[in-house]
Amino acid sequence: MTRSVYSHIREAWKDPDDGKVAELQWQRQQDWRQQGAVERIDRPTRLDRARSLGYKAKQGIVVARVSVRKGGARKSRFTAGRRSKRQGVTRITRRKNIQRVAEERCARVYPNLRVLNSYWVGEDGRQKWHEVILVDPNHPAIENDDDLNWICEDVHTNRALRGLTSAGTRNRGLGSKGKGTEHTRPSGRNR
């Protein structure tokens, strides 16, 4: 049985530290480090992943690569009054995951567009890169597209900033139901 091009791309990206993808990533990241934090790009780096998340090569759709620094949220040390274990300096993490931060930064740079979804494209020792798929809700090509015109409704404004994207709902703990998740809904202020 013949396989699609997308299945070959997906298989190559299963282990991005090995083979041809590793060489490409090494070269790409040298360029990415010189670019800005939010960089608009012509086409997705991972076409299979982008298409599975709703990307189409048509007018009204924009892809941007966003870099966010890695690591936890180390605090400054207290001068006195606590033993070192209880200073609360290390092992402190952010409540928002890095993918969600990337989507929010991109949404602020492009306020007239709406975040559809995002996916990981690479990381080094200092930062992670995600590609964010943005949609123009006022473009006629989007308004006439039966797969994407739901995002044109006013209820979807600032969906990345409200945690309504796929990464946002996952970070808010809304992926599971039932026992043990009594305090996840309604999520918001306490997260």
Side-chain angles (χ1 to χ4, degrees), residues 13 16 21 25 28-29 32 41 44-46 49 64-66 119-123 128-132:
W13 272 92
V21 176
Q25 286 293 85
R28 283 173 182 153
Q29 286 178 10
W32 294 353
I41 55 176
T45 307
R46 296 174 62 183
R49 189 78 185 110
R65 188 186 311 107
V66 186
Y119 53 93
W120 177 93
V121 284
E123 62 184 276
K128 284 188 180 183
W129 288 277
H130 289 86
E131 283 183 4
V132 182

Side-chain angles (χ1 to χ4, degrees), residues 40-58:
R40 182 175 173 171
I41 55 176
D42 295 331
R43 60 183 67 86
T45 307
R46 296 174 62 183
L47 186 58
D48 64 309
R49 189 78 185 110
R51 279 180 59 90
S52 68
L53 294 173
Y55 169 82
K56 292 182 179 182
K58 64 189 302 180

Side-chain angles (χ1 to χ4, degrees), residues 90-140:
T90 59
R91 301 186 189 180
I92 296 170
T93 56
R94 301 284 184 200
R95 283 185 175 159
K96 289 180 184 176
N97 60 29
I98 289 177
Q99 185 173 359
R100 189 172 167 192
V101 171
E103 288 180 351
E104 289 180 9
R105 288 183 184 176
C106 198
R108 286 191 181 99
V109 171
Y110 297 102
N112 62 320
L113 304 178
R114 294 184 184 164
V115 174
L116 179 64
N117 238 317
S118 65
Y119 53 93
W120 177 93
V121 284
E123 62 184 276
D124 62 6
R126 294 182 62 179
Q127 55 197 334
K128 284 188 180 183
W129 288 277
H130 289 86
E131 283 183 4
V132 182
I133 304 165
L134 301 144
V135 179
D136 184 356
N138 301 312
H139 200 287

Side-chain angles (χ1 to χ4, degrees), residues 58 139-146 149:
K58 64 189 302 180
H139 200 287
I142 302 299
E143 289 172 345
N144 297 325
D145 190 321
D146 292 335
N149 62 6

